[in-house]
Amino acid sequence: MNLTRGRIALLLGLAGLLLLAAVVVSPLLLMSMPSFLGNGGTTVDCEDQVQVEEASDSATSDIPPEYLELYKEYGKKIGVQWNVLAAVGKRETDHGRSNLPGVKSGTNHAGAAGPMQFLISTWGGKARISMSSKFNGYASDGDGDGIGDVYNPADAILGAAKMLKRNGAPENVRRALFVYNRAWWYVDQVEEIARRYAKSGEVKVPPQATDDCDDPLVEAAPSDVVAKILEYALAQRGKPYLWGGTGPDAFDCSGVVYAAYRAAGLSIPRTTFGQWPFGVRIKEGDEQPGDLVFFNSGPGTSPNNPGHVGLVVSKGKMLEARCRLCGPIKVTSYMARQDRVGFTRPLQNPDVQEQLKKLQNPAL
C-alpha cells in the first residue's frame, strides 16, 4: 500500500518536472522556430518589390492629398517606399508649402530648387528640361507635358523616387538618403518622419533584402548546375560594387555573373560586351533562373551593345552589381527598368554544352 502510494507520488513528481520544463523551454522553442511555421503557416512573399504601407493618421493629416497621391503613385512605380519619399518632401519643403527661397522659384543658398530640393546640376543643368533633349540628371516628366520642371510636384517627386532607387532604396534606405543629402543627422530625421507616416510605424524593406528568400530561389532552380550558380551569386549579396571586380570581396555587374558560373565549373566571357553575344537569345517571358538580362546602360553602349547585365534568379527578379553609388550587390526587379534590351541563356552555348558533358562524365 505505502509502496504503491510512493510510486504514485514519484510519478506525479516526475510529471510536474516535465510540465515545468515544458513551460521553461517552450518560449525558446518558439523563438527558434523557422519563420515559415508562424503566421498560420504562411511564407514570406519573395515576389513583392516593396511592401506598400498604409498611411497613418499623421500622414493623412499632414500631407496635402495631391502630394500623398503622388508619393504613393511614384513610390510604387519606381519601387521605393512611398513613406520615405514623403518624408524627404516633408523635411525639404514641408511638401512644397515652405516660402523659403528656391522652393517655388530660383534656388536657395546651396543651389537647390523645387519641392524636393534638387541641385540644378543634379536635375539636369537647368530648371525646365525638354524630355526629348539629351541631358544628364534626374529631370522627369510626372505630369505628361513633355517637360521636366523641377518646381512641378509631379516631376520633382518622380525624379526623387528615381534618385532614391538608384542610390540603394528600397533595400538600403539609409544609404540612399545619405546620398540625397550627405549628413547622417538628415538620414535620421527623414527615417523618423517616414516611420510616423506609416501606420505600422516602420520603414520596411522588401523580403529579398534578407536571406529569407534565398533557399526557395535555389530550390526552384531548373537544374543542379543552375542551383550552384544561384547559390554562389546570392551569397555575394551585400558586397560592394567594384569596376572590374571579380571577387571575392567586390564585383562589377559581369564579374559576379562570371564568378557564379565559374563556381559551378563553367567558363563564360568575363565582360558584359562578351557575355551579350555568347548566350543564346531568349524571348522575353521565356527567361528562367540562370539566364542573363541585359540593359542599355553606360558610356559607349546601345541596344545592340548593352553595358549592364544581371543574373535572373526568378521571374522578374535578378541579382545585380549596379554601380558604386547604387548600394551593394542585391536582388532587385528587372521588370521596371526601361532600358532592358534582352535575355540570353549561356547554358545553351555550344562551348558550355561541352563543358557540361565533361562535368557529368570526366572521362570524356
Side-chain angles (χ1 to χ4, degrees), residues 89-112:
K90 173 66 175 180
R91 176 61 183 76
E92 294 291 350
T93 67
D94 193 21
H95 310 300
R97 292 176 293 210
S98 171
N99 291 316
L100 291 173
V103 177
K104 298 177 176 65
S105 64
T107 63
N108 67 8
H109 68 281

Side-chain angles (χ1 to χ4, degrees), residues 187-199:
V187 174
D188 292 339
Q189 288 182 8
V190 171
E191 279 200 314
E192 178 56 33
I193 296 169
R195 283 191 285 269
R196 292 205 308 266
Y197 280 167
K199 192 170 185 179

Side-chain angles (χ1 to χ4, degrees), residues 193-217:
I193 296 169
R195 283 191 285 269
R196 292 205 308 266
Y197 280 167
K199 192 170 185 179
S200 68
E202 301 177 26
V203 175
K204 293 183 178 180
V205 298
Q208 61 263 32
T210 73
D211 59 8
D212 293 341
C213 294
D214 286 4
D215 288 343
L217 291 174

